[in-house]
Amino acid sequence: MQQGQMAYDRAITVFSPDGRLFQVEYAREAVKKGSTALGIKFKDGVLLLSEKKVRSRLVEKNSMEKIQLVDDNVATVTSGLVADARVLIDFARVGAQQEKVTYGSLTNIENLVKKVADQMQQYTQFGGVRPYGVSIIFAGTDTIGPRLFDCDPAGTINEYKSVAIGAGKDAVTDYIEKEYRDDMALEDAVKLGIAALKSAVADSESMKEPEIASIKVGETFHIYTIEEVQKYLS
């Protein structure tokens, strides 16, 4: 820890002289220790992938779900503190239902992402709380088409063609920047995503059964079975 930093990282509401909020930066560090996950837009839909770290062979694999449905047309994948992710996903599910009751359908995913981002941003403004230690990728389809967003612990959101989070973010991003094409079909996107994950994940055990989900325009989210995933891995 740098000299003088201690005075500015005790509370979330205190800026350092160079304009930094250390607690937010620490939350981002927590995300960097999480599982690697990514989203990819293809020609007529969106794809989500995540490595699956099993800490012990005594853990039931079915209890570890990185990809979570918010709605039939919206799903998330997270990296960071699992408990924080669960709370925010529940918040997003309520927001999605409120949007449906108000407008009849989830017409714009960006509105939902902004609600979650606003919730995360509030926890960077008040004393006695800490930021959420999680980043979330939102993917789905709406009246605009396929959408892919990333939301970080500061509540910052951006829309992407492809985005990665977690421990292998930089390696995955470098790989996809070289290989990505706007006109990719679903099959090509899955192969690209798996190859990108493999380039970033050192532990081969966590890549034996990665989680994969996809959605095409006019359809609902499909979460791949173990058999479907193995077909691509082989």
Side-chain angles (χ1 to χ4, degrees):
M1 185 174 294
Q2 297 177 358
Q3 188 174 5
Q5 181 173 324
M6 181 67 76
Y8 303 105
D9 70 352
R10 298 288 182 86
I12 188 62
T13 55
V14 180
F15 280 96
S16 70
D18 55 351
R20 298 163 65 188
L21 288 172
F22 288 112
Q23 291 296 325
V24 174
E25 293 186 18
Y26 298 157
R28 286 176 172 149
E29 290 300 316
V31 173
K32 290 180 183 178
K33 297 181 185 300
S35 301
T36 305
L38 71 149
I40 304 173
K41 280 172 68 173
F42 54 92
K43 184 170 57 178
D44 55 351
V46 193
L47 176 74
L48 291 175
L49 302 96
S50 175
E51 66 167 320
K52 198 167 188 175
K53 290 182 179 179
V54 180
R55 308 286 181 185
S56 166
R57 66 188 183 89
L58 300 179
V59 176
E60 288 284 1
K61 291 182 180 179
N62 292 338
S63 68
M64 299 176 60
E65 294 182 341
K66 299 297 293 183
I67 297 175
Q68 301 273 348
L69 294 182
V70 173
D71 187 77
D72 288 340
N73 300 100
V74 185
T76 67
V77 63
T78 63
S79 185
L81 301 182
V82 176
D84 287 10
R86 184 183 67 245
V87 170
L88 288 170
I89 290 169
D90 286 344
F91 180 85
R93 285 170 176 161
V94 172
Q97 294 307 308
Q98 289 172 339
E99 191 98 353
K100 280 190 167 184
V101 169
T102 304
Y103 302 108
S105 65
L106 189 59
T107 57
N108 191 333
I109 294 173
E110 188 171 2
N111 293 337
L112 176 64
V113 178
K114 283 180 177 177
K115 283 184 179 180
V116 178
D118 288 346
Q119 175 75 2
M120 297 174 78
Q121 198 275 337
Q122 283 184 35
Y123 277 63
T124 69
Q125 292 192 31
F126 301 104
V129 299
R130 64 162 176 81
Y132 289 97
V134 64
S135 279
I136 307 176
I137 295 175
F138 287 86
T141 59
D142 57 18
T143 54
I144 297 173
R147 312 293 298 276
L148 183 65
F149 295 90
D150 167 43
C151 185
D152 78 350
T156 304
I157 61 172
N158 288 291
E159 187 168 5
Y160 293 91
K161 294 180 179 178
S162 179
V163 62
I165 55 177
K169 173 182 177 179
D170 293 338
V172 170
T173 302
D174 289 344
Y175 189 96
I176 291 182
E177 280 182 347
K178 296 174 185 175
E179 304 292 337
Y180 182 82
R181 303 191 321 273
D182 289 330
D183 62 344
M184 282 191 303
L186 172 59
E187 298 276 324
D188 296 328
V190 174
K191 292 174 183 176
L192 173 60
I194 290 175
L197 271 182
K198 284 184 176 180
S199 73
V201 177
D203 180 12
S204 59
E205 287 295 317
S206 66
M207 274 300 295
K208 283 187 175 180
E209 294 178 12
E211 288 191 41
I212 305 175
S214 65
I215 184 172
K216 290 185 176 181
V217 174
E219 299 179 8
T220 58
F221 249 103
H222 170 64
I223 297 178
Y224 288 47
T225 64
I226 294 174
E227 291 75 19
E228 288 173 313
V229 172
Q230 290 301 321
K231 181 185 73 172
Y232 285 104
L233 289 176
S234 61

